[in-house]
Amino acid sequence: MSGPRRVEPPVFYPTLEEMRSMSLEKYVESIEDDLEEYGIGRIVPPAGWTPRRRGYDDVDFRVEKAITQHATGRKGLFRTLLVEKKPLSVKHDFKPMAERPENQPSKAALEDPTHATIEREFWKKVAYDPPTYCADVAGTLFDAPTDSDDATRRASDDSEKGSSSVTTPGWDVSRLDSLLSRTLKEKNITLDGVNSSYLYFGMWRALFAWHTEDCDLYSVNYLHYGAPKFWYAIAPEDRERFEILAQGMVPEMWRACPEFLRHKELLISPTLLEQNGIPFTRMMQKPGEFVVTYPGSYHSGFN
């Protein structure tokens, strides 16, 4: 048997004209075969495109249920415990905490262009100094939409000015169009994080454990600003092998709940995946990029 895949998933580069002429829904349909093969893909918009023309200096949210992430385990297998913190301000409380020297990767990790050093540091320190994560914050950082007449007028202006933030409404993560969102809208139903958007504010080592999306839906993630985000993914065709491996590693969790992976508690390192012949991909998402996960794809990662 050949060894597990250790390749980066596909990267797509839509042109500004493509972003203007088709929605993200339609663009994803056009790259669906590649997404299915790897379980995940990165979409890099063209230079100059931005979803927020005024920048991010004014960003602040009150987070009612920030969490600290405690990981216990050893040798690449960990279980996470989430402990709620007092409400905090992203700008005045969380940002200064995340920028402290003790909450930063080493200089060597930041300077390694291969990202291998920062990956090793994460897994070496995952069970120490629990990071804080502001997750599932309802809201959006995309500019508010304009009516169609105004958008058409401003599209012409933007083409002259080199700006494109208001001419691609179909790429607004907070208002994505899909069969599901259209159906829920007809029924006047809102499912938080499904047909409404969530924001996530992470610091170094804040993580998300192995999981698939609710109802095995697609997911889309846009990284607005800050440091990059590291992802692992397992393609749908390798899903069953991964589930069997996880069951064997933590049989007590499996006996307690056959759907234990949906609890988003389990971390399995890439080293363990390699040792057990589970194919996976890894990649780094940079600010200004989209990441799309394919239905049924397990994914995990860290900030």
Side-chain angles (χ1 to χ4, degrees):
M1 181 176 64
S2 61
R5 288 191 303 266
R6 293 194 62 181
V7 296
E8 291 191 1
V11 184
F12 306 94
Y13 297 89
T15 65
L16 186 55
E17 182 55 38
E18 286 176 320
M19 295 183 71
R20 284 173 169 164
S21 63
M22 68 173 75
S23 65
L24 180 59
E25 176 192 15
K26 295 300 181 183
Y27 188 79
V28 168
E29 286 180 1
S30 73
I31 60 175
E32 190 170 29
D33 289 345
D34 287 323
L35 292 175
E36 181 179 12
E37 180 179 353
Y38 292 90
I40 195 170
R42 189 159 53 99
I43 300 175
V44 182
W49 182 86
T50 176
R52 187 179 177 88
R53 290 177 298 158
R54 64 183 181 276
Y56 298 97
D57 290 340
D58 63 336
V59 171
D60 191 19
F61 285 83
R62 176 180 169 85
V63 182
E64 297 295 336
K65 294 182 179 180
I67 55 176
T68 54
Q69 298 178 308
H70 300 258
T72 60
R74 56 194 293 268
K75 296 184 177 180
L77 181 64
F78 302 91
R79 186 174 180 178
T80 59
L81 172 66
L82 309 181
V83 179
E84 288 188 8
K85 298 170 66 75
K86 294 180 180 179
L88 55 77
S89 158
V90 167
K91 184 175 184 178
H92 301 290
D93 300 319
F94 179 75
K95 187 172 184 287
M97 175 174 55
E99 292 178 342
R100 293 174 189 164
E102 63 268 27
N103 290 330
Q104 296 293 309
S106 70
K107 182 179 179 182
L110 293 172
E111 293 177 349
D112 181 0
T114 70
H115 313 310
T117 304
I118 205 164
E119 189 180 10
R120 285 196 301 269
E121 283 193 8
F122 170 78
W123 288 104
K124 183 178 179 180
K125 300 179 179 181
V126 68
Y128 302 95
D129 300 324
T132 297
Y133 199 20
C134 299
D136 298 341
V137 180
T140 180
L141 295 180
F142 278 70
D143 285 336
T146 60
D147 60 49
S148 58
D149 291 338
D150 190 43
T152 301
R153 175 182 61 78
R154 296 175 75 171
S156 176
D157 294 342
D158 289 342
S159 64
E160 297 175 3
K161 298 177 183 178
S163 171
S164 55
S165 61
V166 298
T167 64
T168 56
W171 291 69
D172 184 341
V173 169
S174 66
R175 300 174 180 84
L176 288 180
D177 197 21
S178 68
L179 176 61
L180 176 62
S181 65
R182 290 189 289 271
T183 301
L184 293 175
K185 186 176 181 180
E186 290 174 1
K187 303 295 184 180
N188 198 29
I189 296 173
T190 298
L191 298 178
D192 293 340
V194 177
N195 65 331
S196 69
S197 60
Y198 274 151
L199 294 169
Y200 296 81
F201 299 90
M203 61 188 291
W204 163 229
R205 296 186 302 107
L207 57 92
F208 48 106
W210 285 105
H211 68 286
T212 60
E213 295 305 306
D214 294 338
C215 301
D216 285 345
L217 296 170
Y218 270 102
S219 78
V220 57
N221 179 287
Y222 180 78
L223 186 54
H224 282 277
Y225 66 99
K229 188 172 181 177
F230 204 93
W231 294 75
Y232 301 102
I234 294 172
E237 68 174 340
D238 300 311
R239 172 178 180 157
E240 185 175 358
R241 294 173 61 191
F242 174 75
E243 291 174 341
I244 292 172
L245 173 67
Q247 291 171 10
M249 286 182 164
V250 286
E252 71 284 358
M253 293 180 66
W254 178 56
R255 285 193 294 266
C257 176
E259 296 294 326
F260 70 98
L261 283 166
R262 293 196 179 275
H263 300 179
K264 302 180 184 179
E265 296 180 8
L266 194 64
L267 294 177
I268 301 175
S269 74
T271 299
L272 285 182
L273 296 180
E274 290 168 349
Q275 291 173 350
N276 288 275
I278 303 296
F280 68 96
T281 58
R282 46 158 62 90
M283 72 172 184
M284 187 78 86
Q285 176 191 17
K286 299 176 182 178
E289 298 177 350
F290 293 88
V291 163
V292 178
T293 65
Y294 190 81
S297 167
Y298 276 100
H299 48 283
S300 175
F302 59 90
N303 292 274

